[in-house]
Amino acid sequence: MKKVQQLIIGIVLFIPFLYLSAWVSLVGYLFEGVLLNWLFIVIAAGISLPSLLSIDRHIKHPSKQQLNQPLKARYFYIAVIWAIFSVVLTLTLNNLAFLPAPIDNVLQSSTAKILAGPLRWPMIISLCFLTPICEELGFRGVMQNYLSNIFGYWPSILITSLIFVFLHGYEIVASLCLFISTIGFSLFNRASGTMKTSIVSHMTYNIIVTILIVLQL
């Protein structure tokens, strides 16, 4: 009963803050002007990053994952390789004939349309750098560590990854690949002792996908 109460309290207190992790990715959705969107991502990052860091510091870290821990070279390479593997896995599975094809054409997505327009650079900065930092702080930081205090390590990474995939709203193949990828993020964070591992991997993943989209526009 106590765990259920803690979970409800966590949802009430932390779920609104998790939207801070996605706020910086709303380039082009709220404003049309280039200058307004640059101003928007600066303000959004200025609010989101300190808020998420502050909440994260007040949660007990059973795995002692810290942002101020140095990222050793081998874990940097592992993070980059994992991101490349995740992209390749997604592309491979999406092209297998016996699996469901993606519902939406990536090149027709709202993100691709923004990348093809005058808001390309604000979107690239947001998508490739600010969003990965904020999402990792929100999910692998705040949410996972809070859930770990209630349910333990393995249930916390599974729940966090499922929620992360659900909020991204991808079709079945991409969702499965994203779930596998985020499980890797959590495991590498634990092995390296720093959240910088998942941040680097998440950034690399987004950079590769962004480059692939831009090259096809």
Side-chain angles (χ1 to χ4, degrees), residues 111-162:
T111 299
K113 291 176 182 178
I114 293 173
L115 287 172
L119 298 178
R120 169 180 290 188
W121 284 108
M123 174 58 86
I124 288 174
I125 296 299
S126 171
L127 191 63
C128 297
F129 300 101
L130 297 177
T131 297
I133 295 173
C134 290
E135 286 190 341
E136 290 309 307
L137 283 174
F139 287 90
R140 252 63 62 185
V142 174
M143 177 178 284
Q144 185 177 307
N145 282 296
Y146 184 79
L147 292 173
S148 185
N149 287 330
I150 302 174
F151 300 109
Y153 178 73
W154 282 105
S156 72
I157 69 170
L158 293 174
I159 296 171
T160 301
S161 294
L162 285 171

Side-chain angles (χ1 to χ4, degrees), residues 2-35:
K2 184 178 179 181
K3 289 184 177 181
V4 174
Q5 291 175 341
Q6 288 178 314
L7 181 60
I8 293 173
I9 292 171
I11 291 173
V12 172
L13 293 179
F14 297 139
I15 290 298
F17 286 98
L18 290 178
Y19 283 95
L20 289 172
S21 65
W23 194 22
V24 293
S25 65
L26 297 178
V27 173
Y29 290 92
L30 302 177
F31 309 102
E32 293 184 0
V34 176
L35 182 59

Side-chain angles (χ1 to χ4, degrees), residues 176-189:
L176 175 61
C177 294
L178 183 62
F179 179 75
I180 294 171
S181 180
T182 55
I183 292 293
F185 290 172
S186 295
L187 295 178
F188 297 147
N189 279 351

Side-chain angles (χ1 to χ4, degrees), residues 7-108:
L7 181 60
I8 293 173
I9 292 171
I11 291 173
V12 172
L13 293 179
F14 297 139
I15 290 298
F17 286 98
L18 290 178
Y19 283 95
L20 289 172
S21 65
W23 194 22
V24 293
S25 65
L26 297 178
V27 173
Y29 290 92
L30 302 177
F31 309 102
E32 293 184 0
V34 176
L35 182 59
L36 280 176
N37 277 279
W38 276 118
L39 184 62
F40 168 73
I41 63 173
V42 169
I43 294 174
I47 294 174
S48 298
L49 289 173
S51 300
L52 291 167
L53 282 168
S54 178
I55 299 168
D56 195 46
R57 287 194 194 100
H58 287 82
I59 299 175
K60 182 182 177 182
H61 289 232
S63 57
K64 298 181 180 179
Q65 295 169 4
Q66 300 290 339
L67 268 177
N68 57 4
Q69 294 290 336
L71 178 59
K72 295 180 181 179
R74 69 175 180 272
Y75 289 111
F76 175 85
Y77 296 134
I78 289 172
V80 171
I81 292 170
W82 181 250
I84 295 172
F85 166 78
S86 298
V87 174
V88 172
L89 178 65
T90 303
L91 293 175
T92 302
L93 292 182
N94 274 332
N95 285 283
L96 292 179
F98 60 87
L99 290 175
I103 297 174
D104 299 319
N105 186 335
V106 174
L107 297 180
Q108 299 301 317

